[in-house]
Amino acid sequence: MKHLLSIDDLGREGIDEVLSLAEQLVEPSGARDKASAFAGKTVATLFFESSTRTRVSFEMAALKLGARILELDVGTSSLNKGESIRDTSQTIAEMGVDALIVRHASAGVAQQIARWTDTTVVNAGDGSHQHPTQALLDCLTLRQELGRNDLNDVRVLFVGDFANSRVVRSSVQAFSALGADITVVASPTMHPSDMSVWPVTVSYDLDDVIGSQDVIYSLRPKTERLTSGAVMPSTREYIIRYCITLDRFARLGENVRIMDAGPVLRGVQMAAEVLDDPRCLVNRQVANGVPTRMAVLLTLLERSHHLPVALSQKGVDV
Ligand code: CP
């Protein structure tokens, strides 16, 4: 596998392979073993859309593997002079980078860059389409929490803006590949055009379903992705219908887990106290971003085309 553009690229076997490696890298000794794996390599981050967690954790992951980081500052780049994304990404690739980490507000941009360049591309989020490394770190977090490698019969409830979320698209695929039983609660305005293709049960009322779940995964209303209208008439209505309030939280068991990819809208998606509760895994998800992204980079690059193929073809042991 040269690129990671979608959870589809991995399947169950690939997910297990990356997560097993990530689990080794969570251990200080595992990370130490790989500290110079990428010596001499350069990882470039091309973030055409805002990010805190994903960009910084990819950079941290690359640094922990001994790579150099090349960060394209989109705001001061020649994109502002009208250069295309194709020419910009080819320009960076031609400088000899080993991987391009790409985020863009439009679906399909990472895939296009993978076609336009010879370099390994990792999709760090493309519009409402995919965020595969988020799904992997979510799976890692649940595997650690539950102490097992599968999610068979684990009841996961996604709450909120399904239509505009790349996180839900990736994580539903990954969680269902691991066996989870998934419910989505969202108003019809927050549904994608065809819900029938999703391996999920649909609900419209959070209070009907919240008490019977093992995991509640909150989805931020993606106002930045709305081209027309809003998913809800008002923030107040969103809070009434979809916020994990203290009242709702009080109805949950001691073993429930609360997840959110972040950034979290405090008081809109969940009460501030919920975020601070030990049952909330948001900080664990963030921490797991680093070993997961190290594992993805190692999986893609350790056996990649950038190894000295010419030498191996001459029979030299590389
Ligand atoms: N979860 C996530 O993608 O967060 P950022 O937008 O901060 O990278």
Side-chain angles (χ1 to χ4, degrees):
M1 190 175 72
K2 181 172 171 182
H3 309 292
L4 178 60
L5 303 173
S6 163
I7 281 293
D8 278 338
D9 296 337
L10 292 170
R12 170 71 197 254
E13 208 177 311
I15 293 171
D16 280 333
E17 191 183 326
V18 172
L19 295 182
S20 299
L21 181 53
E23 275 156 1
Q24 292 169 39
L25 294 165
V26 168
E27 303 300 328
S29 60
R32 256 195 321 273
D33 283 350
K34 295 292 183 187
S36 54
F38 280 9
K41 289 193 192 300
T42 303
V43 173
T45 52
L46 276 62
F47 275 61
F48 302 98
E49 187 202 75
S50 304
S51 167
T52 297
R53 280 148 280 270
T54 311
R55 184 178 59 76
V56 175
S57 65
F58 263 115
E59 291 176 0
M60 180 73 92
L63 286 171
K64 284 187 150 210
L65 294 169
R68 285 180 296 257
I69 310 294
L70 185 76
E71 183 192 348
L72 176 70
D73 181 353
V74 168
T76 59
S77 75
S78 291
L79 285 158
N80 295 327
K81 300 176 196 166
E83 186 170 51
S84 65
I85 289 174
R86 178 177 185 153
D87 290 337
T88 299
S89 53
Q90 284 176 337
T91 297
I92 302 293
E94 284 301 317
M95 291 178 189
V97 304
D98 297 277
L100 297 169
I101 315 299
V102 178
R103 168 169 288 193
H104 198 282
S106 297
V109 169
Q111 192 173 25
Q112 285 290 10
I113 291 175
R115 289 199 190 110
W116 290 330
T117 69
D118 289 331
T119 308
T120 284
V121 174
V122 183
N123 182 2
D126 61 331
S128 304
H129 178 225
Q130 278 279 317
H131 195 351
T133 57
Q134 179 69 47
L136 290 166
L137 73 87
D138 289 342
C139 290
L140 175 64
T141 304
L142 282 180
R143 276 170 50 143
Q144 289 171 336
E145 275 293 307
L146 303 174
R148 56 195 240 215
N149 288 349
D150 63 70
L151 299 181
N152 288 343
D153 303 322
V154 176
R155 292 161 299 179
V156 181
L157 176 69
F158 285 93
V159 183
D161 186 4
F162 194 102
N164 299 294
S165 174
R166 56 191 172 219
V167 169
V168 78
R169 280 171 176 73
S170 317
S171 293
V172 163
Q173 279 182 320
F175 289 177
S176 62
L178 298 186
D181 175 2
I182 301 172
T183 301
V184 172
V185 63
S187 69
T189 54
M190 298 192 288
H191 286 186
S193 53
D194 184 3
M195 281 299 281
S196 68
V197 298
W198 289 91
V200 300
T201 304
V202 178
S203 171
Y204 298 97
D205 188 337
L206 179 57
D207 294 306
D208 275 352
V209 288
I210 194 169
S212 58
Q213 305 298 319
D214 301 307
V215 178
I216 300 175
Y217 199 124
S218 174
L219 302 167
R220 183 173 59 85
K222 305 294 188 297
T223 45
E224 74 275 21
R225 273 175 225 153
L226 297 177
T227 47
S228 63
V231 293
M232 291 296 287
S234 67
T235 302
R236 186 175 141 71
E237 186 166 345
Y238 195 95
I239 293 169
I240 290 169
R241 294 183 62 176
Y242 300 111
C243 181
I244 307 168
T245 58
L246 285 180
D247 278 353
R248 287 180 173 129
F249 195 51
R251 290 166 40 202
L252 305 180
E254 279 309 304
N255 293 325
V256 76
R257 274 85 173 179
I258 307 291
M259 298 180 79
D260 192 306
V264 180
L265 301 182
R266 282 175 181 255
V268 176
Q269 291 178 255
M270 62 185 81
E273 293 85 346
V274 175
L275 266 168
D276 295 334
D277 193 279
R279 287 169 284 178
C280 182
L281 306 182
V282 168
N283 290 338
R284 177 82 75 86
Q285 289 171 267
V286 170
N288 279 334
V290 177
T292 302
R293 288 167 176 133
M294 289 171 78
V296 166
L297 291 171
L298 283 165
T299 302
L300 296 175
L301 289 181
E302 265 206 328
R303 313 182 270 251
S304 85
H305 56 294
H306 292 289
L307 289 171
V309 173
L311 287 179
S312 64
Q313 282 166 353
K314 286 180 195 163
V316 177
D317 184 9
V318 292

